Amino acid sequence: MKKPVFPRIVLLLVLYGGVFALLVVIQFAKQGGFTRRIGNFVVTGQYRVPEADTPPGEPNEYLLTGDASVFFGGLEFRMGSESEESSLRLFNEKGAESEILPDRMIVSGETAVFRLPGGTELSFTTQYAGGALELRITCSFAEGSRELELPYKPMRKTGMRDSGDGRFVIISDGLNYSFGRSPLDPERRVLFLKAGGAGLTYGVVPETKSFNPQDFIIPEAQTRRSYEEVLARWVDQNFSLWNRTVSSQNDEDLVIAYSGEAISRGTYKAAVSAAAPEFLNSGQRTYESSVYLGRLTDAYRSLAAADREKLSRLSRLINEKSLEFIKEPHVFEYFAVRGHGNFMDDGAELIRSIDPKTLPVDLTAGILEGYADWKQYRPLMENPFERLLDQACFVISESLRIAPGASGGDRVLVFFGSQGDAEFNLRLGRALLAWAEESGDASWAGVARSLILSVLSLGDSSGAVKAGLLISDEGDITVSGAPLRLTSARLYRILSPGEYYPHALSIGAPVNSIWTWTAAPAVSASQENNVLDISVSFPAGETHYMILRGIRAFTKIQLYNMDFRTDPQFERYDSSGWAYAAEEQTLLLKMKHRATVEHVRVFY
C-alpha cells in the first residue's frame, strides 16, 4: 500500500526550511543592531556582514556599519553621521577635516577599540584612579592624521553645572563626574584628542572634606617644646654614634656634623683632633670642612671652582627659562650673598611667570625658601613669591599622606603620586616651619614639624634613611630599591640645627661685595676712612678658619689691635694668622679667639 505523498513533501519542506534558517543565523550572527556592556560602560551600534573577500579579523573583532556610541557617567560619546553635532571628525597634518565612522570594534577585557578607515584607533577603557571610577579615552593616530574631535551629549536625566573654576560637573544617578583638565569645547560639546598628546579622562569626582592641618600633626609635633625635645634626643643619639665612628670614617658630612655640634657641647678640640687621617689627606676633603680643619690654600681654590660650576649651571637654567633652578636649596640666598643681583632679578621674573594653578609640589620648598630669602635680602622690594604662598600650601595639602609607623604612631610625608623623597621632605619641613613661625601660623608649623620628625623616624640603627620612598594604596610606606641613603650626618646638615655649621655669610653694608665661608654664627663690618673693621663671633679659646671673598688689595691687617704680617706657614702655628690670594681677592684667615668677638682690621 502506498504512503501518502503530501505529508512527505511537507516534511521535506520543513526540514529544508530549518536548515536554511540555521545557515542564515550562522551567517548573520554578527549583523544587526546591538547593545553591549564592556566593563563599566555600554556600547551601541550595528554589526555588518563581512564581504566575501574580507580577510579574517582578530579574535573578538566585530565589523561595524553606521553610527556607534559609548555611554558612561550620564554622557553619550557619539561616533555618528546623523548631524553635525554627532559627527566624528578627523584632521590631517594640513588641517583638512573629514567626517568618519568606525568600521570595526575590537573588545579586550574592559576595553573597546574602534578602528577607523585609514588605521586610526579610538580606545575606551574604565579604570579606578584614586579610588574613583573613570573612563579613559585615547587615540592612536595613523600616519598623516593629527587630531580627532569626539562629540558628546548628556542623556535625558543628566544634570550639568559650572564648578566655578573653569570646569563643569556632570550629575548622573547621584554621582558627580568631571573631565578634569581634559581639553574640550563645552559650547560645541566636543572633546579634542591630538597626536602626541595625553589621553582624556572622565570620571567620578571623589567626595573630599576640607583640608584641616590639625589632621596632619603627629603628637610629638603638637608643640614647639615637644618637637625640640624629640630633635634633641635624635641629635644626642647620633652625636654619640659620630663620636665612636669619626676616627675611622672617610666622610666629610660626618666630620662637619660632629665638629659643628661639638662646638655647642664644649668638646670642639677633641672633635677636630678625632678626624680620621685618611680623611685629612684624602680627595674627599673639600672647602666645606675647611672652617674647622684649615688647609685654606686648597680650600679657596675648591670654593672658587665649585662657585663657578654652580653659577654656570644656574645661569643656564635661568636663561633657558627653566624653573628647575628653584630646586637648588636657597638659591636666592646664594645669589644675594655673592652679590649676583642680576641673577636675582632674572630669577624673580621667572617666578612672576608661574601660573599658580600649575604650581607643582616639587617647587614648593623653593617657593617658601625664596619668600624668606627675598624678605631678608630685599625687604623693601615687592616679593615675587608672596602671591604663590597660598597655592603652595594648597599643593602641599593635596600631597600630604598619613601612614602608620613601624613601631606605632603615624608618619606624615609629602608624596609625588606614590613616590616620595626623604631629602625633599626634610627641606620642605624646614622651609615650611620657617614661614609658618614667621607668619604666626601654628597649624602649618605643626605640619612642618611633623614632616621633619617623620623623616627622622625612618632611620635605621645608624640613623640613616633611604632617600627614595614609596607609599602603597593602603597607605604603607616602604623604601625604594635604589641604594642611595642619607646618613644621620647628612640629615643633620640638611636640618642645620646648630649655630656653628659651615655656611656663606654676607658681610653686609657698607661693603656688600664681601662675603665669607665660615662657621662663625655672626660676621659684620663697619668702615671708617680707609679702615674696614670686620667683627667675628666664635667661642673664646677656640680656633676656626675663614675664607673672605671680595677683599681688595690692602696695606696691612691688624688682629688683636696689633699689626700681623702674613706667613705662608701661618696654619701651623698655635695662633691667628692670614694669607692673601690677590688674583682672587680672597683673604685666608685663621682666628684663635681670645674673646667671643674678635676684630679683623683691614687698612687700605
Side-chain angles (χ1 to χ4, degrees):
M1 180 178 172
K2 277 188 174 183
K3 293 183 179 179
V5 176
F6 181 72
R8 294 175 63 188
I9 294 173
V10 172
L11 181 62
L12 287 173
L13 289 173
V14 170
L15 179 62
Y16 287 140
V19 171
F20 179 76
L22 179 62
L23 291 173
V24 169
V25 169
I26 293 173
Q27 180 174 1
F28 297 103
K30 291 187 177 180
Q31 181 179 2
F34 69 88
T35 298
R36 179 170 180 173
R37 174 171 287 276
I38 301 173
N40 289 284
F41 59 91
V42 173
V43 179
T44 64
Q46 187 169 341
Y47 296 129
R48 67 179 170 89
V49 181
E51 304 292 338
D53 58 350
T54 301
E58 301 178 19
N60 294 318
E61 179 176 290
Y62 303 87
L63 302 183
L64 303 179
T65 183
D67 300 347
S69 293
V70 171
F71 297 85
F72 176 83
L75 292 185
E76 176 187 0
F77 300 89
R78 312 178 71 183
M79 295 167 280
S81 58
E82 296 175 353
S83 65
E84 183 177 347
E85 290 78 15
S86 66
S87 295
L88 188 67
R89 287 183 171 82
L90 185 66
F91 294 81
N92 64 20
E93 293 176 339
K94 297 181 179 179
E97 68 175 86
S98 58
E99 295 183 2
I100 197 165
L101 293 173
D103 61 5
R104 60 190 65 202
M105 176 180 70
I106 304 167
V107 178
S108 176
E110 297 190 356
T111 301
V113 179
F114 295 90
R115 187 168 292 167
L116 310 180
T120 294
E121 294 182 345
L122 184 61
S123 300
F124 295 80
T125 188
T126 49
Q127 61 188 24
Y128 281 88
L133 183 65
E134 68 178 20
L135 177 71
R136 182 167 176 77
I137 308 170
T138 58
C139 190
S140 175
F141 287 89
E143 186 176 355
S145 299
R146 67 173 181 85
E147 186 176 354
L148 185 77
E149 288 188 358
L150 174 64
Y152 66 90
K153 74 171 185 177
M155 298 169 67
R156 187 171 57 182
K157 294 183 179 181
T158 299
M160 301 178 71
R161 63 177 174 81
D162 191 337
S163 64
D165 59 356
R167 295 178 286 179
F168 60 90
V169 173
I170 295 91
I171 306 166
S172 175
D173 294 329
L175 296 176
N176 292 336
Y177 294 81
S178 171
F179 283 107
R181 299 294 180 186
S182 298
L184 55 84
D185 184 338
E187 293 185 0
R188 292 176 53 210
R189 294 181 177 174
V190 169
L191 299 167
F192 303 106
L193 294 118
K194 295 185 179 183
L200 309 178
T201 56
Y202 171 68
V204 176
V205 179
E207 293 185 8
T208 57
K209 62 179 182 178
S210 59
F211 173 74
N212 183 2
Q214 291 292 333
D215 295 337
F216 295 89
I217 302 176
I218 62 177
E220 303 92 321
Q222 286 288 344
T223 66
R224 183 172 184 175
R225 180 177 178 179
S226 62
Y227 161 77
E228 289 177 346
E229 288 174 351
V230 175
L231 189 59
R233 287 196 299 270
W234 181 86
V235 174
D236 286 344
Q237 179 181 345
N238 286 285
F239 184 77
S240 298
L241 174 67
W242 303 335
N243 180 50
R244 296 192 302 270
T245 58
V246 68
S247 61
S248 61
Q249 297 290 322
N250 187 8
D251 182 348
E252 188 164 47
D253 281 336
L254 174 56
V255 170
I256 291 173
Y258 182 50
S259 300
E261 182 64 24
I263 298 173
S264 301
R265 295 170 182 256
T267 57
Y268 177 51
K269 290 184 178 70
V272 171
S273 300
E278 292 81 5
F279 170 72
L280 294 175
N281 301 311
S282 75
Q284 297 290 104
R285 184 176 168 184
T286 73
Y287 69 91
E288 296 200 50
S289 59
S290 67
V291 296
Y292 309 122
L293 303 176
R295 204 166 76 176
L296 293 178
T297 301
D298 292 337
Y300 93 82
R301 294 193 180 103
S302 170
L303 175 60
D307 265 0
R308 283 193 295 269
E309 186 280 328
K310 185 172 181 176
L311 189 61
S312 174
R313 175 168 50 83
L314 293 173
S315 63
R316 175 175 52 80
L317 290 172
I318 291 175
N319 289 334
E320 292 173 354
K321 309 297 183 185
S322 172
L323 290 169
E324 290 290 307
F325 86 98
I326 200 67
K327 293 182 180 179
E328 182 73 31
H330 286 283
V331 63
F332 278 83
E333 178 183 55
Y334 174 85
F335 290 145
V337 166
R338 287 155 176 81
H340 299 306
N342 55 326
F343 289 114
M344 287 192 75
D345 294 338
D346 293 343
E349 284 305 307
L350 272 183
I351 299 302
R352 292 186 180 98
S353 72
I354 296 176
D355 180 354
K357 293 182 292 186
T358 65
L359 180 68
V361 68
D362 59 353
L363 295 186
T364 53
I367 296 299
L368 292 167
E369 290 172 349
Y371 172 78
D373 293 340
W374 193 278
K375 193 170 184 178
Q376 177 180 353
Y377 292 100
R378 291 189 171 181
L380 301 180
M381 297 181 65
E382 174 264 335
N383 194 319
F385 298 90
E386 191 163 11
R387 69 184 183 90
L388 300 172
L389 293 177
D390 288 343
Q391 183 66 15
C393 290
F394 172 75
V395 170
I396 293 167
S397 72
E398 293 283 288
S399 305
L400 285 170
R401 300 290 182 269
I402 301 176
S407 56
D410 289 330
R411 293 180 177 128
V412 172
L413 295 164
V414 163
F415 283 86
F416 319 120
S418 63
Q419 297 185 342
D421 182 277
E423 183 165 353
F424 174 81
N425 272 274
L426 211 54
R427 179 189 169 202
L428 176 62
R430 277 198 67 203
L432 185 60
L433 183 58
W435 167 77
E437 289 184 341
E438 186 269 339
S439 59
D441 193 318
S443 294
W444 273 112
V447 174
R449 294 191 293 262
S450 299
L451 288 173
I452 293 169
L453 295 185
S454 294
V455 172
L456 300 183
S457 73
L458 295 169
D460 58 20
S461 58
S462 68
V465 172
K466 275 292 190 81
L469 306 172
L470 300 171
I471 189 166
S472 67
D473 292 338
E474 293 74 30
D476 297 322
I477 295 177
T478 57
V479 295
S480 70
L484 184 60
R485 296 164 71 246
L486 301 174
T487 66
S488 60
R490 180 63 188 166
L491 296 172
Y492 179 90
R493 294 202 60 195
I494 298 169
L495 280 175
S496 304
E499 288 186 288
Y500 302 103
Y501 59 94
H503 56 290
L505 274 181
S506 173
I507 296 297
V511 279
N512 292 317
S513 60
I514 299 177
W515 62 277
T516 179
W517 182 254
T518 183
V523 181
S524 60
S526 62
Q527 186 161 354
E528 185 176 350
N529 299 323
N530 65 332
V531 180
L532 174 65
D533 188 346
I534 303 172
S535 63
V536 183
S537 299
F538 207 75
E542 303 292 8
T543 300
H544 67 108
Y545 301 82
M546 300 173 67
I547 302 173
L548 291 105
R549 305 293 306 272
I551 301 289
R552 57 188 175 87
F554 51 86
T555 58
K556 69 175 181 178
I557 281 181
Q558 283 187 349
L559 303 174
Y560 317 119
N561 293 317
M562 297 184 296
D563 292 352
F564 257 66
R565 294 183 180 180
T566 185
D567 186 331
Q569 307 297 319
F570 75 97
E571 289 192 47
R572 295 187 178 184
Y573 308 135
D574 185 24
S575 65
S576 298
W578 63 273
Y580 182 64
E583 69 280 7
E584 296 279 356
Q585 291 195 342
T586 299
L587 177 64
L588 311 177
L589 186 64
K590 177 182 179 181
M591 283 296 301
K592 184 173 182 178
H593 279 246
R594 298 176 181 175
T596 302
V597 178
E598 294 287 6
H599 291 263
V600 181
R601 292 184 173 87
V602 181
F603 289 78
Y604 294 110

